[in-house]
Amino acid sequence: MSKTAVVSARIDADLSDRLDQLAQDLDRSRGSLAARAIAQFVEEEAALVAAIREAEADIAAGNVHTQDEVEAMFGVDRSRRDAA
């Protein structure tokens, strides 16, 4: 059996009403929907933080490219871009 914790949060009354309606429409509890939303948010934010930390480590290790190098890698013709 997994452990659970109670979390309390204040949300806008309109959002609360929408949550209640969605819970009713899906035949779920508002708590289960809130838990699902929080789990998704935490996963997405944790992935973002991990990506930022990885990028910062790359920068610290000198694994960087100039804009000119990136444009050359992707065949960007700056003269066409600047003329527009």
Side-chain angles (χ1 to χ4, degrees):
M1 176 182 251
S2 66
K3 294 182 180 180
T4 62
V6 175
V7 176
S8 178
R10 293 190 183 277
I11 61 174
D12 182 86
D14 290 336
L15 181 58
S16 178
D17 292 343
R18 291 175 59 204
L19 177 61
D20 288 340
Q21 183 61 56
L22 185 59
Q24 182 179 348
D25 292 345
L26 296 175
D27 194 28
R28 300 282 185 257
S29 70
R30 70 189 320 213
S32 69
L33 295 184
R36 188 169 133 199
I38 291 168
Q40 181 178 345
F41 173 81
V42 168
E43 289 300 317
E44 290 172 359
E45 292 297 307
L48 178 59
V49 168
I52 290 169
R53 288 187 177 148
E54 182 179 346
E56 290 172 338
D58 279 344
I59 292 167
N63 299 328
V64 297
H65 298 284
T66 66
Q67 181 173 341
D68 289 337
E69 290 170 333
V70 172
E71 288 177 355
M73 280 188 258
F74 290 99
V76 173
D77 183 356
R78 187 181 288 181
S79 64
R80 291 181 58 211
R81 184 194 70 199
D82 292 341

